Amino acid sequence: MKKKLLIAAALLVSIVAHSFFIYYQSQGGYIAGTNDGLSQMVPFKHFLYETFHKGNLVYAEDFGFGGGIITQLAYYYATSVVFWLTVSVVSLFDALGLVTPNLELWLQLTLVVSIIRLAVVLLLATHAYRLFHVKLPHAFVGAVLYGVSVMYIRHVTFWEFFADAFLWVPLLVIGLERIIRLGRADFFIVISALMLVNNFYFAYINLVFVFVYVVFRQFIRFPEDRLRRRQQWLLYSGSGVLALLLSAFAFIPATYGFLQNERPSLEHEIDLVRFDNILYDSRLFIIPAVFILFALYRPLYRQTAFRLFAAMSLLFTVLHFSPHVGSFFNGFSAPQYRWEYLASFTIGGAVAVGLSHWRFEKKSFYIAATSTVSLYLLLGLFGEVASWSVSLVIFGLMLATVASLWWKPMITPYLLIVSCLVVFNGYTKLVLHDQAIVKTNESFVNSSNYDSAEQRELIALVQEQAAPLERLDWMVPLRNNTPIVQSFLGTSLYSSILNGNLLMLYWKDLEIDMGRESVSRYGTLGNRANLHHLVSSPYWMRRDNAASEAPYGFNLLAETERYAVYESGTRLPFVRTTTSTYRQADLDDVSMLTREQTMLSGVILEAGRDTPTPARTIDVMTEEVEAALDGDTLRVTSDEGGIDLIPDVPSTARGDLYVSFDIRKLEGDAFFIKLGGYRTTRKPEESIYRTDLTSMTLRTPMSERVPLRLPEGTYALENVTVEWEDYATLDSVVEETKTRPDIPVTWDGPDFDFTVEEAEPGTYAVLPVPFERGWRASVNGETRDVLQANYAFSAIQLDQGRNEVELTYRPPFFNITTVMTLLGLVLFISYRVYVRRKEHPFT
């Protein structure tokens, strides 16, 4: 009966906690941040569901230019336990015809999953606190303080999968206590393995918590502890090894994906401390008043469990103010504050123990109460507060808590639950809704800022006539995952974990401008026709009639009131063959246009034998426009000044100009760059999302005068060069491929097949498939290496004559991780057999 009441109470509290969002969704709103929520969380869930139901469990050709699912999406949902349970339920309802698993469904499911998840968190935390001789009602109150916290709902709103981290902490504590008290590690092994599979990033954070907890438990012991310290460490070590073996099939590829990702190191100095008002309106971590009072109430320190939880809580509270700790928990990168749920758990434990062992001692209580009220007055009057009305509510709840412990301790648990629900819903309304997701609704999701019917109309037209693997260069501005949202093969992607080779292709190898500077994404092809041909992207779509900026050789295909799509008049085959090879190191000092032309003429490999032909550099004159150019320093004196470039080309010249330069704004703030009709932006130097790269190459249509415009400020402008692309190389290659037989291609998830007839000696098949560890190839039944080609793509050396080529993708280290997981299963089963024979093993 108690279990049923507890489950009902957990579900009721969770529903009430989400009451504002339940109302908001009933009015057509969605729980998703307008940035990452709509750009990543919901699209990735929908994408993975569709991909899994196609049978593609390890690779997807429509994830950007193509990519491994585990290596690049395990950080999000690809191996998430909660997501897989959700997929199972949705699949069942889908099979019964009860739901349509479209993007809208995944938007709506965020609320349902959050309510259920929070209820489970409350149950798990309650059970964990009960291990410390805490009464059930008080353990439940501690669980509410843990789960019904601002960090939980903040995670759900902006980065929904972050909220799963709340599930693992109580489970880990239960597992650790079973080791310490019973000498049984089976539960801890299973939970640790599932946690490593679920998300490697939060596994790292949680394992830091495990270490801290274990260290504290070395010095704070309970009468029921049966294992000596040395025996504990043996079991911890053995459990960790077994958990790693069991999780190897997912954890190792996911970790490899993180390590091969490219992200610039943080250049600016990290602050020593960062203060926020954790009693009133911190966006990350609000300490409940009851913990402040309990921490100042000396009699509670007689309880061993209180000392344990209070000590860890005070440690985590101090660490909260250190950006260096935020950097440590973020893999020594830019400080991110995602770990404070650990403090919420220990605070919940301290309060649960404090309530169960509350004994009123007048003098100690007066000291603790006076100090608590004074602290709230001090931070309320002299600390930064966002709103006086909110501060008064928090202050009133604090006074009510202090008064209840003095007059009626029996009502304190109920008051604490109500207080948590008030703060939780107030934060949801005033911070998350009003300041972040007020526009996240059905109207916005169907607008031109995200996914409009007008956009889909043109996309459907392209899909009707495009070849199976041809791509469309289109994305809603600032939303690089538009191809996922609108279900087409595109040229853009936004994810924290990406193929590092592709990122370097954009940033350094070809300097492809994306229209904005940012890490963790790539998008569009800089309107460069050569690149469109190389990656089989013959379609280009933009808002309004943007004919002047369309890639060279692209003609208007169709248009609507606000959008136009263009199509290339020529194609290169998806699989190209060539006997011309160029050594990558020989191109280190050449221009981006030379690299493009070299990729068209043959293939760039680590080892090559041919000599590249430099692109044509032309002389250029400059004229200052509301600016002064002194050597390499350009001072712009208006909102849009700069220089005009006057290239020395014949008046009848056709083609494009490639303008390259190094640029940096000396003031360090953000700025735009306009070259002709093309506009791009650069981030301020203190931004953690800047690439820290100053070299740029921009394509612009041939013109007698090309304006380069910048906002007011002082710039370092160096190495300005202009090259002429008349597309003779592209035309020659297109004509040459017409004389060769077609190469039919079959691509089904992780399997990619094609046949080349009559290959000459030394021929390579060049594929616009991103080079990634995991691809295996066979030519005529014999194993063949997949080579990294053209910086970020793939090539295979062929035999003379007919070649039947088969490529198969498996997650990196597939064979060894499979063996590791099977070995882990054998060892775990053996361990289970062993412990069943002993009532208290290792004691």
Side-chain angles (χ1 to χ4, degrees), residues 13-214:
V13 168
S14 184
I15 291 172
V16 175
H18 289 85
S19 56
F20 177 79
F21 272 154
I22 292 173
Y23 165 77
Y24 180 55
Q25 188 153 306
S26 71
Q27 301 302 304
Y30 300 117
I31 308 176
T34 54
N35 295 321
D36 288 350
L38 288 179
S39 291
Q40 290 186 313
M41 306 307 138
V42 174
F44 285 162
K45 284 188 282 187
H46 176 60
F47 171 76
L48 285 170
Y49 181 87
E50 295 296 319
T51 302
F52 291 156
H53 276 261
K54 294 175 185 175
N56 300 344
L57 299 178
V58 294
Y59 194 89
E61 66 272 21
D62 50 350
F63 186 69
F65 288 111
I69 290 175
I70 294 179
T71 53
Q72 296 181 56
L73 281 174
Y75 174 68
Y76 295 94
Y77 296 103
T79 56
S80 165
V81 175
V82 173
F83 177 69
W84 274 100
L85 290 173
T86 307
V87 166
S88 300
V89 175
V90 173
S91 297
L92 176 61
F93 284 14
D94 186 13
L96 296 174
L98 300 177
V99 298
T100 301
N102 53 20
L103 200 70
E104 182 183 6
L105 176 67
W106 292 104
L107 279 163
Q108 295 170 339
L109 278 177
T110 300
L111 176 60
V112 178
V113 172
S114 182
I115 291 172
I116 297 172
R117 182 200 294 113
L118 180 56
V120 174
V121 167
L122 297 180
L123 295 172
L124 294 176
T126 299
H127 181 59
Y129 296 147
R130 288 277 287 157
L131 297 176
F132 299 92
H133 307 291
V134 174
K135 296 175 183 177
L136 180 61
H138 299 148
F140 183 73
V141 173
V144 171
L145 289 173
Y146 169 51
V148 186
S149 57
V150 297
M151 179 61 80
Y152 176 84
I153 199 62
R154 177 180 174 82
H155 280 350
V156 170
T157 304
F158 296 127
W159 312 280
E160 191 258 356
F161 70 95
F162 283 11
D164 293 353
F166 279 74
L167 294 165
W168 301 105
V169 177
L171 289 170
L172 288 169
V173 169
I174 294 169
L176 290 170
E177 290 299 324
R178 282 176 60 85
I179 290 176
I180 298 170
R181 303 180 186 196
L182 303 176
R184 293 183 180 272
D186 47 357
F187 185 81
F188 181 73
I189 293 169
V190 172
I191 293 304
S192 298
L194 286 173
M195 179 183 68
L196 291 170
V197 169
N198 183 79
N199 185 285
F200 68 91
Y201 178 83
F202 281 97
Y204 164 67
I205 294 176
N206 289 338
L207 288 175
V208 173
F209 170 78
V210 166
F211 177 77
V212 172
Y213 186 87
V214 166

Side-chain angles (χ1 to χ4, degrees), residues 450-466 472-476 482-483 485-489 539 541 557-558 560 563 565:
Y450 190 71
D451 180 22
S452 72
E454 188 178 356
Q455 295 164 3
R456 284 188 174 272
E457 178 185 341
L458 286 179
I459 292 169
L461 185 148
V462 169
Q463 290 175 322
E464 285 178 5
Q465 71 173 51
L472 165 66
D473 186 320
W474 155 249
M475 54 174 271
V476 175
T482 296
V485 172
Q486 299 182 340
S487 302
F488 65 90
L489 286 173
Y539 297 95
M541 175 173 156
L557 174 65
T560 60
Y563 298 94
V565 62

Side-chain angles (χ1 to χ4, degrees), residues 129 132-146 286-296 300 303 305-311 313 343-358 401 405 409 412-417 420:
Y129 296 147
F132 299 92
H133 307 291
V134 174
K135 296 175 183 177
L136 180 61
H138 299 148
F140 183 73
V141 173
V144 171
L145 289 173
Y146 169 51
I286 297 178
I287 297 182
V290 65
F291 173 73
I292 301 295
L293 190 145
F294 281 0
L296 296 170
L300 283 177
Q303 301 298 322
F306 184 80
R307 292 199 301 272
L308 172 68
F309 285 114
S313 299
S344 296
F345 178 80
T346 56
I347 286 174
V351 172
V353 175
L355 290 173
S356 272
H357 297 278
W358 177 255
T401 300
L405 287 167
T412 302
Y414 304 101
L415 178 61
L416 293 178
I417 292 175
C420 284

Side-chain angles (χ1 to χ4, degrees), residues 695-741:
S695 181
M696 303 187 68
T697 295
L698 302 179
R699 166 265 181 188
T700 188
M702 180 65 67
S703 176
E704 295 180 357
R705 182 181 292 264
V706 179
L708 174 63
R709 297 293 181 263
L710 302 161
E712 184 177 357
T714 306
Y715 301 84
L717 181 63
E718 303 173 300
N719 304 321
V720 179
T721 60
V722 179
E723 292 175 302
W724 177 13
E725 172 58 291
D726 61 3
Y727 294 102
T729 301
L730 176 61
D731 293 342
S732 174
V733 173
V734 168
E735 291 301 317
E736 182 185 354
T737 57
K738 290 180 180 178
T739 65
R740 299 176 183 174

Side-chain angles (χ1 to χ4, degrees), residues 291-456:
F291 173 73
I292 301 295
L293 190 145
F294 281 0
L296 296 170
Y297 190 61
R298 288 187 61 186
L300 283 177
Y301 287 91
R302 300 169 191 156
Q303 301 298 322
T304 305
F306 184 80
R307 292 199 301 272
L308 172 68
F309 285 114
M312 287 193 292
S313 299
L314 294 172
L315 171 65
F316 288 137
T317 300
V318 172
L319 296 180
H320 163 77
F321 296 107
S322 171
H324 287 277
V325 174
S327 174
F328 169 77
F329 277 110
N330 196 37
F332 299 95
S333 183
Q336 294 287 0
Y337 305 95
R338 299 164 178 162
W339 61 272
E340 280 86 344
Y341 63 93
L342 305 178
S344 296
F345 178 80
T346 56
I347 286 174
V351 172
V353 175
L355 290 173
S356 272
H357 297 278
W358 177 255
R359 296 291 183 273
F360 183 81
E361 295 184 17
K362 189 174 182 180
K363 180 180 178 181
S364 296
F365 179 80
Y366 286 164
I367 293 173
T370 302
S371 300
T372 300
V373 174
S374 300
L375 187 59
Y376 269 82
L377 282 171
L378 182 66
L379 290 182
L381 294 173
F382 301 104
E384 292 187 7
V385 292
S387 165
W388 279 106
S389 58
V390 171
S391 299
L392 288 174
V393 171
I394 298 291
F395 191 80
L397 292 173
M398 179 274 298
L399 290 178
T401 300
V402 173
S404 69
L405 287 167
W406 185 9
W407 289 319
K408 295 286 184 181
M410 292 289 291
I411 69 169
T412 302
Y414 304 101
L415 178 61
L416 293 178
I417 292 175
V418 171
S419 298
C420 284
L421 294 173
V422 169
V423 172
F424 192 87
N425 277 288
Y427 180 87
T428 299
K429 170 64 171 68
L430 300 175
V431 177
L432 299 180
H433 174 266
D434 292 358
Q435 299 180 24
I437 67 167
V438 65
K439 294 182 179 179
T440 307
N441 50 42
E442 187 176 351
S443 175
F444 180 84
V445 167
N446 292 308
S447 73
S448 60
N449 292 318
Y450 190 71
D451 180 22
S452 72
E454 188 178 356
Q455 295 164 3
R456 284 188 174 272

